[in-house]
């Protein structure tokens, strides 16, 4: 009963303002069991997404015997693994498809006012990254942990086209001014 109440409390309090302007969201809570000589040892595995809503997002997996401890560990791991996402206004600069294990995620830029068209796992990562207009499609495996990792991988692959062109021209020697 205590486990169920802790799980419901965590899911109801999905968005939490933390110190430093970071927001956290729990994506997946799993109850896991390890069989040992004396019986079964139960624990929890929690996938947490942390972001500042301005282009920085991270994902962490916390494991502990109680849900709050697992959440704390997941948040700690997520803040350490934060990456910066390339944005173009309120959307992403270009379309990208990324893959992690058997999960594939398609991320497409959308016009202003479209909103976030995404499933639960992708939505958590995209919203906490600060993206307001995007079209997404989750393909392949629906395992939310792998979907979150595929989404983060896709966001990490995004590049600003104008900046990349300027870098290439600067490296070839035709344009030395990168501004």
């Amino acid at each position: 009963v205590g486990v169920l109440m802790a799980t419901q409390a965590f899911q109801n309090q999905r968005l939490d303002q933390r110190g430093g302007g970071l927001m956290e969201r729990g994506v997946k809570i799993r109850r896991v069991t390890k069989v040992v000589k004396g019986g079964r040892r139960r624990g929890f595995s929690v996938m947490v997404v942390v972001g500042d809503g301005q282009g920085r997002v991270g994902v962490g997996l916390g494991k502990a015997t109680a849900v709050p401890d697992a959440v704390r560990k997941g948040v700690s791991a997520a803040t350490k693994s934060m990456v910066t996402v390339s944005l173009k206004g309120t959307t992403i600069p270009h379309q990208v498809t990324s893959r992690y294990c058997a999960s594939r995620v398609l991320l497409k830029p959308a016009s202003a006012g479209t909103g976030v068209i995404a499933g639960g796992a992708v939505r958590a990562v995209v919203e906490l990254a600060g993206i307001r207009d995007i079209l997404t499609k989750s393909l392949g495996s629906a395992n939310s942990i792998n979907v979150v990792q595929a989404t983060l991988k896709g966001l990490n692959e995004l590049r600003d086209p104008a900046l990349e062109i300027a870098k290439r021209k600067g490296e070839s020697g035709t344009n030395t001014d990168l501004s």
Side-chain angles (χ1 to χ4, degrees):
V1 175
V3 171
L4 182 61
M5 289 172 52
T7 305
Q8 287 174 343
F10 179 66
Q11 288 174 343
N12 291 341
Q13 170 253 336
R14 290 178 69 106
L15 193 61
D16 180 34
Q17 194 71 22
R18 297 187 52 81
L22 294 180
M23 297 174 287
E24 68 180 54
R25 195 175 289 188
V27 176
K28 179 84 173 174
I29 299 176
R30 296 187 305 173
R31 196 173 119 195
V32 294
T33 305
K34 179 180 180 180
V35 179
V36 293
K37 188 168 80 170
R40 293 184 182 99
R41 184 167 292 164
R42 290 186 175 84
F44 294 92
S45 171
V46 178
M47 173 68 89
V48 180
V49 180
V50 172
D52 64 356
Q54 297 171 353
R56 287 181 43 81
V57 67
V59 174
L61 189 66
K63 299 176 184 179
T65 55
V67 174
D69 294 335
V71 171
R72 184 180 41 76
K73 288 180 181 181
V75 169
S76 175
T79 52
K80 289 176 189 172
S81 72
M82 287 185 82
V83 295
T84 303
V85 178
S86 179
L87 300 176
K88 182 180 177 183
T90 60
T91 188
I92 57 177
H94 56 85
Q95 177 176 327
V96 65
T97 304
S98 62
R99 182 182 181 126
Y100 185 86
C101 292
S103 296
R104 286 190 312 149
V105 174
L106 169 69
L107 306 170
K108 285 176 86 171
S111 57
T114 304
V116 176
I117 311 296
V122 179
R123 178 179 291 270
V125 178
V126 167
E127 285 180 347
L128 291 179
I131 300 169
R132 303 282 170 256
D133 301 303
I134 190 168
L135 302 169
T136 67
K137 181 65 182 170
S138 178
L139 307 161
S141 173
N143 180 337
S144 57
I145 292 175
N146 290 344
V147 169
V148 165
Q149 293 288 358
T151 305
L152 194 66
K153 187 177 173 187
L155 291 176
N156 214 11
E157 292 171 4
L158 292 173
R159 300 286 179 259
D160 184 21
L163 190 64
E164 289 298 312
I165 291 170
K167 279 184 186 177
R168 290 177 188 163
K169 286 184 177 179
E171 289 174 1
S172 66
T174 57
N175 185 5
T176 57
D177 185 25
L178 292 177
S179 57

